[in-house]
Amino acid sequence: GAGVSQSPRYKVAKRGQDVALRCDPISGHVSLFWYQQALGQGPEFLTYFQNEAQLDKSGLPSDRFFAERPEGSVSTLKIQRTQQEDSAVYLCASSLARASGVYEQYFGPGTRLTVT
Amino acid sequence: EDQVTQSPEALRLQEGESSSLNCSYTVSGLRGLFWYRQDPGKGPEFLFTLYSAGEEKEKERLKATLTKKESFLHITAPKPEDSATYLCAVNSGGSNYKLTFGKGTLLTVNP
């Protein structure tokens, strides 16, 4: 079946521009996650949705980062007034995980953001 | 705070030369330990979940094991197509969803 898809795959933004990154999770997956991966590092947690509810946004680096999932399916990660330190790969993952139990997270290909 | 340390940072093997990758972790209440494979320019690909010490899982040439302090990913008779970065992640404590990743081990298998 179709996996997690993300768009765009690559994004170049000038410092100060706003960007929006899209994630289409695996159909039926209620849980959705965003991670940030710097070069040579492992992914770092940004935020978590269960359906349309954002249950954890503790990993968002600053108030310039905002995520939404209004209908409990597609999610958008928005970064306002981009800075050079925002350059990274942004990964989206989805899972069947619910309130109890631990399930595997399946990742999309990522969006590579470069801020110039 | 959960900590995950992977070693070595990079490993170069000849085709057929078996070896192991290490993932050491410090957590409060392990819920699960995950292994992922990541190819350049792609997202992590799920391999295994281990839940308790003594558990083992196998997939083709890969075998993952878990103790109370670390996990090993054993690679038997590797092939060039096994070349990738292998990431270890843990889920622990009160959160059943947040993964904490190590930095990964870059494996290169030469023909």
Side-chain angles (χ1 to χ4, degrees):
Chain A
V4 178
S5 61
Q6 293 186 244
S7 61
R9 292 294 317 279
Y10 304 91
K11 178 69 178 177
V12 178
K14 292 187 187 296
R15 189 165 59 92
Q17 283 186 334
D18 298 348
V19 298
L21 313 180
R22 177 188 168 104
C23 172
D24 284 87
I26 294 171
S27 178
H29 280 196
V30 299
S31 298
L32 184 144
F33 312 83
W34 285 97
Y35 290 81
Q36 180 189 61
Q37 187 173 24
L39 192 63
Q41 304 292 314
E44 291 194 2
F45 172 83
L46 294 178
T47 188
Y48 161 57
F49 289 86
Q50 186 168 308
N51 294 304
E52 69 278 2
Q54 188 176 22
L55 299 184
D56 187 340
K57 53 182 180 179
S58 63
L60 295 177
S62 76
D63 58 9
R64 296 185 295 103
F65 286 71
F66 172 76
E68 60 183 7
R69 192 186 186 197
E71 297 180 357
S73 179
V74 171
S75 176
T76 304
L77 176 66
K78 298 180 179 178
I79 308 173
Q80 299 177 325
R81 305 180 303 281
T82 52
Q83 304 294 314
Q84 284 194 319
E85 61 263 29
D86 299 335
S87 295
V89 175
Y90 291 86
L91 295 164
C92 176
S94 69
S95 170
L96 287 170
R98 296 185 183 270
S100 61
V102 175
Y103 287 80
E104 296 89 20
Q105 297 181 23
Y106 295 90
F107 285 82
T111 294
R112 180 176 296 279
L113 173 65
T114 303
V115 181
T116 61
Chain B
E1 183 178 326
D2 296 347
Q3 290 191 343
V4 179
T5 304
Q6 292 189 245
S7 61
E9 291 185 5
L11 181 63
R12 190 176 293 271
L13 300 174
Q14 287 298 123
E15 184 172 2
E17 179 186 2
S18 302
S19 188
S20 296
L21 313 182
N22 177 264
C23 171
S24 298
Y25 61 90
T26 304
V27 301
S28 55
L30 181 72
R31 287 177 171 267
L33 185 140
F34 303 80
W35 282 99
Y36 285 85
R37 168 190 171 129
Q38 188 171 29
D39 292 295
K42 297 189 176 182
E45 175 190 348
F46 171 77
L47 293 174
F48 304 109
T49 308
L50 301 168
Y51 293 100
S52 57
E55 189 174 2
E56 299 183 351
K57 288 193 176 174
E58 288 188 66
K59 178 180 180 180
E60 296 181 353
R61 294 177 293 282
L62 301 177
K63 179 180 177 180
T65 62
L66 181 65
T67 73
K68 289 186 177 180
K69 294 183 178 181
E70 56 192 349
S71 177
F72 291 94
L73 184 65
H74 307 277
I75 304 176
T76 302
K79 298 182 177 182
E81 53 261 42
D82 294 323
S83 297
T85 295
Y86 290 85
L87 294 165
C88 171
V90 296
N91 172 248
S92 67
S95 162
N96 67 328
Y97 53 83
K98 185 183 300 186
L99 294 182
T100 300
F101 282 85
K103 293 183 179 182
T105 293
L106 174 61
L107 174 66
T108 303
V109 182
N110 295 314

